[in-house]
Each structure stands twice: as structure tokens, then as C-alpha cells.
Amino acid sequence: MKVLLTGAGGLMGRYLAGEGRAREVVALSRRALDITDDAAVRETLARERPDWVINAAALCSFDRCEEDPAGSEAVNLRAAVRLAEQASRTGARVVLFSSDYIFDGEKGAPYTETDPAVPRSVYARHKAALERETGGMPGVLVARCAWIFGRGGATFMSRMPELMREREELTVAAGKRGSCLYAGYGARAIYSLLERGASGVVNLVHEGETAWEIFAEACLEEMRALKQEPRCRVIRPVPFQEMEMLKPGRPAYSVLATGRLRELLGEAPMPWREGLREFLRERVSSGLAEG
């Protein structure tokens, strides 16, 4: 099984590339392949002739998407749809990524793959449209993820161990409930889903819901257990509605149900705290926890 991976320089892309070292994976960063360049995409597909294409290329910054809706549409929607169409014509199957942000947070119970999207932001509208426009394509798997964290990531959850080593007090937006995903586990799960020929939409997140303040407390406990010596002594939760950095459009509740993921993998998804523990151990093994 030959895999072509786009967006290999991003957070999820790096982990997918790492997991792909033991497989036949051609990993291309944005510099090597800009997915908005249709001619380059066609040439690459013709040259590599992959069985699967994993598109990890995306404009993920919520604020950037709000400021540049045309740029978000070009990368997160139009280029991704055209890539899926071109890959499908060659007989390749395709993995695309979506987001929990496509929901408005009003349901109050875990969202399943069949719940209707109610997007309230630019980023969310384009991800919802991506799901809709590729929904009828055979051989397309849409992995709907949430709150991704991992080594080298720019997300708050990714940077939390570093912040806890630097600060005695950490302010955390509280009250948002959702699901999360350690990118290392997500990459392994993607390859497992490929091997099983999965298609359609699947919620790819850890088992169990969390919140930023709960995740922060768990991170502090796990760092102490691993002797990572966090400087942080106080976690100060502040209602997310009061934090200016969290603009409207992010759902207050976006927990994703994992029943279909369990069925496809043939086992229960990894609990989120176990994913956090693996992330922290990875930091130790890579030397990041040493400063």
C-alpha cells in the first residue's frame, strides 16, 4: 500500500510522516507540493501513483481563517475537494480532515457522524462544506478531529507542558467541553483505518470528554509523576466567555462520539489521559522536557 501524504510539515502531518517510516509513504510538505496548484497535484499523482492520499495540508489557525476567508476557502475547501477528485480519478482512496467546530454546541450530548452541521465561523463553514461536497465520493475517509496536541504544535494544549515549566500560575479558559486528540495516536489510528479500508466520516478523537481546565490539572499531575518538575503551582480557571482571545464562533460544547471509531478499529479508542501521558513521555525521550 503506497501512501502520498500532503501537508507533512504540519502537526498531524509530521506524526503521519513519522509513522510512515515503516511504510511506503511519500511525505510532502507545502514547499514540496502546494495543493492549491492543480497542475502540480496532477503531476505528483501521475508520478507517484499512490493507493491512498492523506491530505494533512490545511489552514488551521481559527483567527487567520476569520481574517482571510478567501485563503481558508482556497486551502481548506476548494483545493482539498479538487485533490480528492483528482485522486479518485486515478483509483486512489483519500483521507481528509474535518473538525468538531462544524457544530454549534447546542446539542448537549456527544455529536455523532450523522448529526447535522451548524457552523458558526469561517473555518467551520469550510470544513462543513468539505464534508458535504466529498460525502458522495467513493473511497473517501473524512477524519473529524478536535483539540489536537503534540510535539512542536502551536495549540494551547501542545504548549501546556512548556508553559507549566515556565510559569508559576497558568490562566486557563474554563467551561468549554470537548474531545481531544494526541497527534501520535491519531496518526497510528489513520493507518489502521487505511488498512481496514474505512470510508465515510469518522470522529477521530480520544475516548472521554474533557475541558481545558481539566486537561491542565491532569497535565500538571502527570508531569509531577514523570519528574518533569513543573514550575506551575496554580491553575487559574477563567470562564472562556471572559477571555478576549477566544472570539465567538468556537462551540462551548463539541464532544464527539467515538462509537463508529470503536467499530472500525475493533477496539476502544485510547482514553485522552493516556494520550496526554504518551505525549509527556515523548517530550522526555526527545529531550524537550529538559528545557
Side-chain angles (χ1 to χ4, degrees), residues 52-103:
W52 276 92
V53 175
I54 305 176
N55 179 39
L59 184 60
C60 296
S61 168
F62 183 92
D63 291 338
R64 258 189 85 184
C65 290
E66 291 295 308
E67 294 163 2
D68 182 16
S72 173
E73 181 177 13
V75 176
N76 293 332
L77 177 56
R78 297 303 165 205
V81 170
R82 291 196 303 269
L83 173 60
E85 291 171 340
Q86 291 191 51
S88 295
R89 291 192 200 105
T90 69
R93 306 188 74 176
V94 183
V95 178
L96 303 171
F97 289 92
S98 185
S99 169
D100 62 317
Y101 277 18
I102 69 170
F103 299 114

Side-chain angles (χ1 to χ4, degrees), residues 13-222:
R14 291 195 301 273
Y15 280 89
L16 284 162
E19 284 294 319
R21 292 192 187 105
R23 300 172 170 86
E24 188 180 5
V25 176
V26 178
L28 302 177
S29 66
R30 182 182 182 279
R31 183 173 296 180
L33 178 62
D34 181 350
I35 66 167
T36 64
D37 186 336
D38 291 348
V41 169
R42 284 194 298 271
E43 179 183 336
T44 302
L45 289 170
R47 181 181 69 247
E48 300 297 343
R49 299 188 64 81
D51 301 298
W52 276 92
V53 175
I54 305 176
N55 179 39
L59 184 60
C60 296
S61 168
F62 183 92
D63 291 338
R64 258 189 85 184
C65 290
E66 291 295 308
E67 294 163 2
D68 182 16
S72 173
E73 181 177 13
V75 176
N76 293 332
L77 177 56
R78 297 303 165 205
V81 170
R82 291 196 303 269
L83 173 60
E85 291 171 340
Q86 291 191 51
S88 295
R89 291 192 200 105
T90 69
R93 306 188 74 176
V94 183
V95 178
L96 303 171
F97 289 92
S98 185
S99 169
D100 62 317
Y101 277 18
I102 69 170
F103 299 114
D104 62 5
E106 299 297 326
K107 181 181 178 183
Y111 287 96
T112 70
E113 286 81 0
T114 58
D115 282 321
V118 187
R120 289 185 171 175
S121 67
V122 170
Y123 177 74
R125 286 197 297 274
H126 293 148
K127 286 299 184 179
L130 177 66
E131 290 193 17
R132 185 174 61 252
E133 294 188 23
T134 60
M137 295 184 189
V140 173
L141 173 67
V142 178
R144 190 187 289 155
C145 303
W147 299 6
I148 302 174
F149 61 93
R151 186 182 72 253
T155 63
F156 181 64
M157 284 179 159
S158 297
R159 297 181 60 240
M160 197 171 289
E162 174 189 351
L163 295 173
M164 286 184 167
R165 285 184 58 84
E166 295 174 350
R167 303 179 185 179
E168 291 187 357
E169 180 176 306
L170 185 64
T171 299
V172 179
K176 283 171 58 68
R177 296 162 60 198
S179 302
C180 64
L181 177 67
Y182 167 53
Y185 172 72
R188 295 196 300 273
I190 285 291
Y191 286 115
S192 293
L193 291 168
L194 295 191
E195 291 164 0
R196 289 164 170 77
S199 62
V201 178
V202 61
N203 292 335
L204 177 55
V205 291
H206 286 296
E207 189 79 20
E209 71 174 65
T210 188
W212 283 8
E213 69 274 24
I214 295 172
F215 188 91
E217 292 286 356
C219 184
L220 188 58
E221 291 175 9
E222 295 292 346

Side-chain angles (χ1 to χ4, degrees), residues 165 223 228-229 280 282-291:
R165 285 184 58 84
M223 288 181 72
Q228 293 189 11
E229 301 179 1
L280 293 174
E282 178 192 21
R283 286 174 53 82
V284 172
S285 64
S286 65
L288 288 174
E290 302 305 321

